[in-house]
């Protein structure tokens, strides 16, 4: 018997290259020296196992691999895991890692584990393997459960092959096995539930609620958003509730994508966060939507680990958006948006290049805008294009799935976003502190500033204007012009908040700079580049000094031939209270000048003056219509209409004036209608004019 045992042990050593503690040749039974314990048993913790199968063992573990399980030889090893590293206080056995298992094994691997001394009954066996976290963009250790049967003092499970194992690539994996106590597989009280929950008994009630949230989200994604789950053929999905490690205490949970098949993708949630209902529901929606979209993906987990997924930011953005639907709160703003509110301004290519995850968090607002504009199927339309490989990046997906292109929507999206029409958590004040450039009007000489900047594709830059000059006048205005396609947005920021003043494609005028200075207000300009390429664009700010007048006097003198009369001239003015030779003491007609439009207008009793000023070239154009008495012949009722353009402006006696003399023309004048009458019957109409003089004076109403 002694020799037979020795021969068997020697054979075992040769076959499995086993490792064992203590002496290679234990003392035979009955021959131990008095007071000494029997030698420790021998364990096979590493071996090369091929098509004929084999066994690995350790103190409380036995792994049996049946003949025909592997298609060739593989070096395998079992190694004790760090105690409490997987399930903390719920661990009820040593946890073992089985390393080097081929993914394409074809028969069940039988795993037998002996629980720790004093363990309660009804232990569950857990298996931990590496899966891909879409949120973390890396492989993570993910736990699920396998059916185990108690046999005497041990628990035995058959770890079954992956479906379609023969089609999987020839690579290996590591699997960790162990027993946990005080855990339950929650009974399926809803026959149609799509989720199989495992949770500590103490968190059972909250885990039931989590399952209900997930079922609700499943319905939203399938019925409202029209996503298909056809790529996954095995339900329910496994969901593990466990206490996350210390460095992940603030993590609510995540979706885990199996490298081998969608049928093995699962989810994990942090037991200590189950009572944070709103954020738990938001996370459940966020992570489950990652799963739904993974069914439309074109990249394997292996590819994702070594190369950038061009659709990653869209994936994150859409998962951020669905959080609001998941919570059932229309005004909910996802927590992950914090610190990323200005990401949509960075550029559709630059933002993802710097940090695709953060860009996606910010662009959740753009996804919400798309749904607001085009409905709840907007996303599935894009993901169908992605799945069919009809598009190569999110911009193409947006363009092909919607009536308007990304470029056509971008400026309007920014206006709605900043205007709090998408998420209420956006802080417009962040525009003040993140300005690209600042124009400070601090002195008389600060009249013009031109900023030339390089713009990324589909990006925006912010410009701030401060008013520090004490002598700004009410009539002073700020002209804002910009190059490049698309509207720019102009905001006023003051103590009462930030309001949109308007939009413009070319020039925007802001009046009454004195009022802005007195209120300590500032101007913000958001200038987008709606092009899909980088561009150099300019934004110019120009202070235009106001025209300090609110009244007008106008006179027209016309000499020529009139029908039915030998009279050859008329002279008519407005107002007619006094003669023009009483200048400058005569009254003037009240009017109004708009700095924004650069138009002055005044009218009364059929008399009107409309003048448009070209302050850059010091010219004026417009029209004067008179219905008044002749200055020289008060018995004559005169009607005259004159249009003019490019008349030169000048200053005289504190007033702005323009004049036109046909014998020394500067500008042009056209007589549209001119006639006078001496009674109700007789009317004389101008046939042709031989001399025309026009005088227009602007000043302040006395």
């Amino acid at each position: 018997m002694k020799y037979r045992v020795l021969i068997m042990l020697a054979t075992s050593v040769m076959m499995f290259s086993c490792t064992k503690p203590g002496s290679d040749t234990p003392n035979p039974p009955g021959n131990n020296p008095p007071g000494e314990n029997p030698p420790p048993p021998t364990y096979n913790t590493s071996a090369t196992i091929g098509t004929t199968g084999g066994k690995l063992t350790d103190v409380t573990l036995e792994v049996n691999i049946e003949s025909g399980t592997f298609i060739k030889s593989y070096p395998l090893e079992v190694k004790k895991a760090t105690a409490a590293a997987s399930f903390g206080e719920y661990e009820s056995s040593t946890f073992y890692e089985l390393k080097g298992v081929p993914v394409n094994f074809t028969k069940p691997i039988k795993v037998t584990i002996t629980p720790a001394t004093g363990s309660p009954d009804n232990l569950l066996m857990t298996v931990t393997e590496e899966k891909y976290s879409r949120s973390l963009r890396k492989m993570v250790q993910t736990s699920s459960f396998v059916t185990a049967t108690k046999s005497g003092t041990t628990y035995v499970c058959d770890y079954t092959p992956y479906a379609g194992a023969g089609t999987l690539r020839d690579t290996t994996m590591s699997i960790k096995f162990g027993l946990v106590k005080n855990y339950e597989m929650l009974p399926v009280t809803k026959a149609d539930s799509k989720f199989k929950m495992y949770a500590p008994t103490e968190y059972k009630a909250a885990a039931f609620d989590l399952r209900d949230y997930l079922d609700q989200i499943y319905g939203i994604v399938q019925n409202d958003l029209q996503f298909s789950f056809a790529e996954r053929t095995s339900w329910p999905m496994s969901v593990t509730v466990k206490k996350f490690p210390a460095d992940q205490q603030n993590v609510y949970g995540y979706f885990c994508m199996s490298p081998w098949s969608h049928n093995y993708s699962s989810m994990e949630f942090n037991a200590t966060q189950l009572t944070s209902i709103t954020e738990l529901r938001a996370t459940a929606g966020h992570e489950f939507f990652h799963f739904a979209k993974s069914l439309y993906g074109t990249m394997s987990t292996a590819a994702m680990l070594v190369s950038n997924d061009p659709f990653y930011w869209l994936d994150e953005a859409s998962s951020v958006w669905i959080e609001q639907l998941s919570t059932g709160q229309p005004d909910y703003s996802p927590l992950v948006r914090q610190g990323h509110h200005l990401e949509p301004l960075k550029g559709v290519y630059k933002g993802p290049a710097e940090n695709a995850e953060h860009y996606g968090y910010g662009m959740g607002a753009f996804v919400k805008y798309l749904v607001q504009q085009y409905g709840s199927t907007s996303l599935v339309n894009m993901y169908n294009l992605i799945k069919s490989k009809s598009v190569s990046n999110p911009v193409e997906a947006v363009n092909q799935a919607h009536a308007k292109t990304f470029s056509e929507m971008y400026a309007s999206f920014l206006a709605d976003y900043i205007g709090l029409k998408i998420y209420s958590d956006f802080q417009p004040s962040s525009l003040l502190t993140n300005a690209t450039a600042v124009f400070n009007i601090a002195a008389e000489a600060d009249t013009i500033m031109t900023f030339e900047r390089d713009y990324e594709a589909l990006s925006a830059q912010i410009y701030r204007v401060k008013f520090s000059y004490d002598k700004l006048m009410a009539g002073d205005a700020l002209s804002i012009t910009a190059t490049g396609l698309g509207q720019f947005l102009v905001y006023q920021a003051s103590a009462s908040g930030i309001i949109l003043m308007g939009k413009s494609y070319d020039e925007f005028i802001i009046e009454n700079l004195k009022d802005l200075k007195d209120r300590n207000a500032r101007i913000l300009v958001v200038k987008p580049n709606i092009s899909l390429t980088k561009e150099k664009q300019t934004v110019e700010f120009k202070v235009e000094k106001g025209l300090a007048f609110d009244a007008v006097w106008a006179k027209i003198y016309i000499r020529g031939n009139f029908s039915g009369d030998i009279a050859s001239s008329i002279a008519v003015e407005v107002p007619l209270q006094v003669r023009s030779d009483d200048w400058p003491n005569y009254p003037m007609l009240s009017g109004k000048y708009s700095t924004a439009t650069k138009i002055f207008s005044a009218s009364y009793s059929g008399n009107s003056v409309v003048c448009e000023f070209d302050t850059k070239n010091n010219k004026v154009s417009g029209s004067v219509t008179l219905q008044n008495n002749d200055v020289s012949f008060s018995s004559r009722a005169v009607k005259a209409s004159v249009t003019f353009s490019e008349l030169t402006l000048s200053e005289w006696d504190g007033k702005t004036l323009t004049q036109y003399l046909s014998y020394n023309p500067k500008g042009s004048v056209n007589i549209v209608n001119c006639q006078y009458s001496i009674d109700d019957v007789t009317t004389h109409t101008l046939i042709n004019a031989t001399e025309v003089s026009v005088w227009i004076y602007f000043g302040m109403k006395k």
Side-chain angles (χ1 to χ4, degrees):
M1 186 71 176
K2 170 182 175 183
Y3 298 103
R4 184 179 178 185
V5 171
L6 290 175
I7 291 170
M8 291 179 64
L9 288 174
T11 303
S12 178
V13 169
M14 289 187 290
M15 289 181 61
F16 298 103
S17 302
C18 73
T19 59
K20 63 181 190 302
S23 170
D24 290 339
T25 308
N27 290 321
N31 292 333
N32 293 322
E36 289 190 12
N37 294 324
T42 299
Y43 302 111
N44 304 318
T45 58
S46 64
T48 296
I49 298 179
T51 58
T52 59
K55 180 186 294 186
L56 295 172
T57 60
D58 203 348
V59 180
T60 59
L61 173 74
E62 182 175 290
V63 178
N64 284 286
I65 298 167
E66 184 181 341
S67 175
T69 302
F70 297 166
I71 61 174
K72 64 179 184 180
S73 296
Y74 295 90
L76 270 65
E77 178 185 7
V78 291
K79 187 177 181 180
K80 291 184 178 70
T82 303
S86 297
F87 279 84
E89 72 267 30
Y90 300 101
E91 293 184 2
S92 201
S93 74
T94 300
F95 274 58
Y96 287 94
E97 184 176 8
L98 177 59
K99 304 175 71 173
V101 179
V103 173
N104 55 6
F105 71 98
T106 58
K107 293 183 179 181
I109 297 174
K110 188 177 295 291
V111 178
T112 303
I113 299 179
T114 302
T117 302
S119 293
D121 290 334
N122 302 318
L123 302 180
L124 297 181
M125 187 177 292
T126 178
V127 58
T128 301
E129 59 184 295
E130 280 198 331
K131 296 180 183 178
Y132 183 76
S133 169
R134 189 66 168 149
S135 293
L136 301 177
R137 299 178 76 186
K138 66 179 182 179
M139 302 299 287
V140 295
Q141 293 287 313
T142 306
S143 300
S144 56
F145 289 79
V146 290
T147 301
T149 303
K150 189 173 184 181
S151 176
T153 59
T154 66
Y155 286 79
V156 182
C157 85
D158 286 331
Y159 188 68
T160 57
Y162 295 109
T167 63
L168 298 177
R169 67 180 188 271
D170 186 12
T171 187
T172 61
M173 61 180 174
S174 295
I175 317 169
K176 189 187 299 181
F177 293 92
L179 298 172
V180 295
K181 59 187 175 183
N182 301 325
Y183 248 81
E184 292 187 38
M185 183 185 80
L186 304 186
V188 181
T189 56
K190 294 193 307 181
D192 59 346
S193 178
K194 299 296 182 180
F195 303 93
K196 180 170 57 176
M197 311 291 295
Y198 292 89
T201 302
E202 61 185 302
Y203 295 102
K204 181 176 179 178
F208 270 127
D209 291 338
L210 173 59
R211 187 186 65 184
D212 289 342
Y213 304 152
L214 288 169
D215 280 324
Q216 292 169 14
I217 294 160
Y218 179 99
I220 291 171
V221 174
Q222 182 182 58
N223 301 324
D224 298 346
L225 307 187
Q226 297 294 299
F227 274 75
S228 169
F229 298 112
E231 293 294 323
R232 177 168 178 139
T233 59
S234 176
W235 294 89
M237 177 185 286
S238 177
V239 180
T240 300
V241 175
K242 60 188 294 187
K243 290 183 178 179
F244 283 11
D247 60 345
Q248 295 184 6
Q249 283 306 295
N250 294 325
V251 176
Y252 287 84
Y254 43 77
F255 155 65
C256 308
M257 180 177 175
S258 172
W260 321 124
S261 166
H262 292 301
N263 286 335
Y264 301 100
S265 294
S266 59
M267 302 182 77
E268 284 196 349
F269 287 90
N270 190 351
T272 60
Q273 296 289 358
L274 293 184
T275 56
S276 304
I277 304 300
T278 297
E279 294 310 318
L280 182 65
R281 296 185 69 159
T283 301
H286 184 119
E287 296 300 325
F288 180 74
F289 204 28
H290 275 314
F291 159 72
K293 290 172 295 184
S294 74
L295 304 179
Y296 289 74
T298 59
M299 294 181 69
S300 66
T301 57
M304 292 178 187
L305 290 171
V306 297
S307 61
N308 292 325
D309 179 359
F311 296 100
Y312 178 65
W313 77 255
L314 179 63
D315 200 18
E316 280 297 344
S318 50
S319 280
V320 168
W321 163 75
I322 204 176
E323 290 189 21
Q324 178 183 315
L325 291 184
S326 304
T327 63
Q329 301 176 15
D331 296 328
Y332 177 78
S333 295
L335 290 181
V336 292
R337 283 181 36 77
Q338 298 303 316
H340 307 299
H341 293 130
L342 292 180
E343 291 288 337
L345 279 69
K346 283 188 174 181
V348 75
Y349 301 126
K350 181 181 179 181
E354 289 185 349
N355 191 315
E357 180 181 36
H358 292 173
Y359 186 73
Y361 290 164
M363 287 295 281
F366 182 70
V367 170
K368 187 175 180 181
Y369 173 83
L370 288 178
V371 175
Q372 288 175 344
Q373 300 296 314
Y374 295 101
S376 58
T377 59
S378 174
L379 281 169
V380 76
N381 292 339
M382 289 191 288
Y383 275 90
N384 278 325
L385 292 167
I386 294 169
K387 185 176 183 179
S388 65
K389 298 184 179 180
S390 300
V391 293
S392 60
N393 59 62
V395 174
E396 292 180 2
V398 171
N399 292 349
Q400 292 189 32
H402 302 92
K404 289 185 178 181
T405 65
F406 203 136
S407 296
E408 291 171 322
M409 290 187 274
Y410 186 54
S412 296
F413 156 66
L414 289 179
D416 283 0
Y417 183 45
I418 297 170
L420 305 181
K421 295 180 180 179
I422 301 177
Y423 281 118
S424 60
D425 64 349
F426 182 77
Q427 298 176 346
S429 59
S430 63
L431 300 176
L432 286 168
T433 55
N434 290 276
T436 304
V438 179
F439 176 32
N440 185 14
I441 303 173
E444 182 72 23
D446 296 327
T447 59
I448 189 167
M449 177 64 73
T450 301
F451 296 106
E452 185 179 67
R453 292 288 185 272
D454 291 320
Y455 284 73
E456 297 290 333
L458 289 173
S459 69
Q461 299 197 32
I462 309 164
Y463 300 92
R464 186 171 81 242
V465 182
K466 296 172 58 179
F467 305 99
S468 304
Y469 183 45
D470 290 332
K471 295 183 180 180
L472 288 171
M473 305 298 293
D476 294 343
L478 181 68
S479 168
I480 307 170
T481 57
T483 63
L485 298 175
Q487 292 178 313
F488 59 88
L489 314 173
V490 182
Y491 297 86
Q492 181 187 137
S494 64
S496 58
I498 293 179
I499 60 171
L500 177 67
M501 301 183 73
K503 310 172 186 178
S504 180
Y505 287 97
D506 42 30
E507 182 181 30
F508 191 88
I509 303 294
I510 300 173
E511 300 181 84
N512 200 348
L513 300 190
K514 182 179 186 302
D515 175 64
L516 295 176
K517 167 67 174 64
D518 292 344
R519 292 190 292 109
N520 194 32
R522 286 148 291 178
I523 297 298
L524 290 168
V525 175
V526 178
K527 176 63 178 73
N529 171 28
I530 66 170
S531 171
L532 287 177
T533 59
K534 291 183 179 180
E535 284 192 1
K536 191 179 292 293
Q537 298 183 8
T538 61
V539 175
E540 182 178 89
F541 299 91
K542 182 180 179 182
V543 177
E544 297 187 351
K545 303 303 293 181
L547 300 176
F549 52 73
D550 63 2
V552 66
W553 170 82
K555 178 179 178 180
I556 298 175
Y557 173 81
I558 301 173
R559 180 185 294 276
N561 297 320
F562 287 81
S563 63
D565 195 0
I566 60 171
S568 60
S569 69
I570 60 149
V572 63
E573 62 187 51
V574 57
L576 191 62
Q577 286 90 337
V578 294
R579 295 289 298 273
S580 60
D581 51 12
D582 291 329
W583 179 274
N585 298 313
Y586 62 86
M588 304 180 77
L589 177 63
S590 295
K592 183 177 181 181
Y593 175 74
S594 169
T595 309
T597 62
K598 301 184 178 67
I599 292 176
F600 177 88
S601 60
S603 65
Y604 86 103
S605 300
N607 300 271
S608 66
V609 179
V610 178
C611 298
E612 183 174 358
F613 290 84
D614 178 358
T615 55
K616 182 177 181 180
N617 297 302
N618 206 34
K619 303 287 185 179
V620 65
S621 302
S623 64
V624 178
T625 300
L626 298 111
Q627 185 172 309
N628 217 326
N629 290 332
D630 193 309
V631 174
S632 302
F633 304 93
S634 59
S635 60
R636 292 178 176 180
V638 178
K639 291 182 178 180
S641 297
V642 177
T643 60
F644 55 89
S645 62
E646 300 294 313
L647 303 190
T648 302
L649 288 167
S650 60
E651 295 288 331
W652 181 74
D653 194 32
K655 293 179 175 62
T656 300
L657 64 92
T658 187
Q659 61 180 5
Y660 173 86
L661 305 173
S662 58
Y663 56 82
N664 184 23
K666 294 181 180 179
S668 64
V669 168
N670 181 39
I671 310 298
V672 179
N673 176 44
C674 181
Q675 62 183 31
Y676 72 87
S677 59
I678 56 176
D679 53 41
D680 294 338
V681 177
T682 307
T683 299
H684 303 283
T685 302
L686 178 66
I687 298 174
N688 65 286
T690 58
E691 180 184 345
V692 176
S693 298
V694 177
W695 297 271
I696 305 176
Y697 299 98
F698 303 92
M700 302 301 292
K701 187 75 171 71
K702 289 185 178 294

